[in-house]
Amino acid sequence: MNNINIYLEANPNPNSLKFVTDKMLVDEGVVKDYPDIKSTTDSPIAKKLFEFDYVDRVFIMSNFITITKNNQIHWDNIKLELRNFIKKYIEDGKKIVELKPQKKKKLSPNKKIDKKIIEILDEYIKPAVEQDGGAIQFESFVKGKVKVSLQGACSGCPSSMITLKSGIEKLLKRFVPEVEEVVAEEV
């Protein structure tokens, strides 16, 4: 494979760093979040990244990998090591993710409301969350409560709950009057 470029982007989670490449790593719409080494069965690069003892989480989407580290080490001590590892791995043409067909999520009996919530998340929320190295996924809408999953840099981020309540919940309540609350489940 040709020489690739990787640049780093900080995000609101001080323990996460986004490694952005000039090549697509996975197909559009594919979101892979690995909270531990056991979950890496379909991603050889994620498995290898967990071999670095300071890596706590790996998130892969479009043209970037977000790595969450533990608190014991500073980014200045490891970011070049991780950048060089990712660069060489991709340049060597090794497999990033082995995709398996995914089941489509069933909508609740409130299909119309579910679709409206998903549209709002897709249009207004997802781009901002992805910019910060994470992802948000609609899980369900039951009795006024919207459940979403936060992945990547968003998972465990100190500011994610503020964003969830101050931003996402207010926006959904404004556009979908049936929404009373938004809660997150970490993946």
Side-chain angles (χ1 to χ4, degrees):
M1 181 169 259
N2 295 336
N3 191 24
I4 66 154
N5 294 307
I6 297 178
Y7 65 91
L8 286 67
E9 284 184 4
N11 59 66
N13 184 344
N15 287 324
S16 291
L17 196 57
K18 189 174 169 184
F19 295 79
V20 184
T21 74
D22 57 357
K23 304 275 187 233
M24 289 300 286
L25 302 176
V26 294
D27 293 337
E28 186 68 33
V30 173
V31 176
K32 302 304 279 181
D33 193 14
Y34 304 99
D36 53 40
I37 195 163
K38 289 181 282 183
S39 63
T40 64
T41 57
D42 65 347
S43 178
I45 191 170
K47 183 176 234 145
K48 285 284 192 193
L49 285 166
F50 274 106
E51 291 177 9
F52 294 93
D53 61 356
Y54 47 78
V55 171
D56 277 351
R57 184 179 210 106
V58 177
F59 177 79
I60 303 169
M61 183 176 177
S62 352
N63 67 329
F64 67 89
I65 297 173
T66 300
I67 296 175
T68 304
K69 65 168 186 66
N70 65 38
N71 286 326
Q72 278 40 126
I73 194 159
H74 194 274
W75 279 116
D76 289 341
N77 299 327
I78 59 174
K79 63 185 177 188
L80 286 179
E81 177 180 34
L82 289 169
R83 181 194 165 280
N84 292 338
F85 170 80
I86 293 168
K87 180 176 172 52
K88 180 169 177 13
Y89 188 97
I90 295 168
E91 286 177 346
D92 287 348
K94 295 179 182 174
K95 195 83 164 155
I96 304 295
V97 173
E98 297 168 11
L99 293 178
K100 298 171 186 149
Q102 294 183 337
K103 296 177 187 173
K104 264 212 161 187
K105 200 172 276 188
K106 282 187 173 182
L107 298 179
S108 72
N110 308 306
K111 288 182 181 122
K112 199 172 186 179
I113 295 172
D114 287 2
K115 285 181 181 179
K116 182 72 174 164
I117 292 168
I118 292 167
E119 283 175 17
I120 293 165
L121 289 174
D122 287 349
E123 187 173 341
Y124 298 102
I125 310 297
K126 279 187 178 184
V129 172
E130 289 170 9
Q131 184 70 33
D132 285 342
I136 185 169
Q137 198 76 29
F138 173 79
E139 295 298 329
S140 64
F141 174 71
V142 179
K143 296 180 182 173
K145 185 186 285 189
V146 176
K147 189 180 286 186
V148 295
S149 60
L150 298 174
Q151 301 170 313
C154 298
S155 184
C157 175
S159 63
S160 67
M161 285 305 121
I162 295 166
T163 301
L164 187 73
K165 293 296 181 183
S166 299
I168 299 168
E169 185 173 274
K170 282 183 179 177
L171 185 70
L172 285 174
K173 282 179 173 180
R174 189 172 66 195
F175 285 110
V176 185
E178 295 85 354
V179 172
E180 297 170 14
E181 181 183 20
V182 178
V183 296
E185 65 178 28
E186 289 193 17
V187 179

